[in-house]
Amino acid sequence: MNMSTISIIGSGGMAAAIGGLAAKAGHSVEVMSRDAAKARALAEQVGAGATTGTFGAAPVGDIVILAVPFSAVLDVVKQYGEKLAGKLLVDITNPIKSDVRVFLTPEDSFGAQEIAKVAPANATIVKAFNTQNAQVLAAGPIGGHPLDVFIAGDDSQAKARVSAFIDSLGLRPMDTGRLIMARTLEHACMLWLGLMTHSIKHTNFSIRVSLLG
């Protein structure tokens, strides 16, 4: 893809991982956080001329990464309001309670759909990155195998742009279909948590697709 400006709302581990990979790949990175000091610290950590934006102001980037916990993301999107009009919003959240047994969403809904309900009508939502662990993502390819980033969305052009962005980071985009598939991807995070708790007992692993033959 052409190098572009990526705006990241959030200053946690996933914001740092995606921001670091994006800067390394040659994209311009803007960091926005409710905590301005954390945003500045993350922009410095990301390096490569990363800037900080004012929380709640219009993001510079056309691609906006929603890198805040699901428990905060709906309020954040509402606060930005029309400042997100026309933007491509990448939802990386997982609506899972801290006891990792229950989803925070209504039974007939899912995280990405709840975000779509409060976002401007002409913003486009693509689910991505939610099955990756921040430390694993930041470490990059393992044994020459790029990490798989599963994506879902209703707008094929938006998905193509997100796929190109993921590809530029040295990761492998895997399109899973329409936005309704975000529900399955959110369950895949629950699968990851189950594997981590009961089988693998550490976080240094990734769910990926193995192509046979």
Side-chain angles (χ1 to χ4, degrees), residues 115-146:
I115 292 169
K117 285 179 189 172
V118 297
N122 65 346
T124 310
I125 314 268
V126 174
K127 188 84 177 181
F129 293 102
N130 77 299
T131 62
Q132 288 295 349
N133 169 273
Q135 287 86 347
V136 172
L137 191 62
I142 300 161
H145 296 295

Side-chain angles (χ1 to χ4, degrees), residues 24-187:
K24 200 167 148 191
H27 301 284
S28 300
V29 176
E30 176 189 45
V31 181
M32 311 173 96
S33 171
R34 214 169 239 145
D35 186 327
K38 277 190 182 170
R40 282 195 299 276
L42 180 53
E44 276 175 36
Q45 183 189 326
V46 166
T51 59
T52 53
T54 305
F55 187 82
V60 175
D62 291 327
I63 296 178
V64 180
I65 315 276
L66 300 174
V68 294
F70 183 78
S71 55
V73 75
L74 300 181
D75 284 341
V76 167
V77 171
K78 283 178 196 166
Q79 185 172 341
Y80 273 83
E82 287 304 311
K83 307 275 178 38
L84 298 177
K87 299 289 185 183
L88 199 177
L89 307 180
V90 179
D91 166 29
I92 73 166
T93 66
N94 283 302
I96 297 172
K97 282 192 179 170
S98 53
D99 64 5
V100 305
R101 287 197 298 270
V102 186
F103 286 93
L104 293 162
T105 41
E107 247 176 68
D108 61 346
S109 189
F110 52 96
Q113 183 165 282
E114 293 300 302
I115 292 169
K117 285 179 189 172
V118 297
N122 65 346
T124 310
I125 314 268
V126 174
K127 188 84 177 181
F129 293 102
N130 77 299
T131 62
Q132 288 295 349
N133 169 273
Q135 287 86 347
V136 172
L137 191 62
I142 300 161
H145 296 295
L147 298 171
D148 285 344
V149 177
F150 303 112
I151 66 173
D154 290 335
D155 184 308
S156 55
Q157 270 187 313
K159 279 200 293 189
R161 287 183 64 203
V162 173
S163 289
F165 171 62
I166 290 166
D167 194 50
S168 77
L169 306 185
L171 308 167
R172 184 168 68 163
M174 298 293 275
D175 187 353
T176 66
R178 297 191 60 118
L179 194 64
I180 187 83
M181 283 298 289
R183 179 201 290 270
T184 302
L185 295 182
E186 290 163 14
H187 279 82

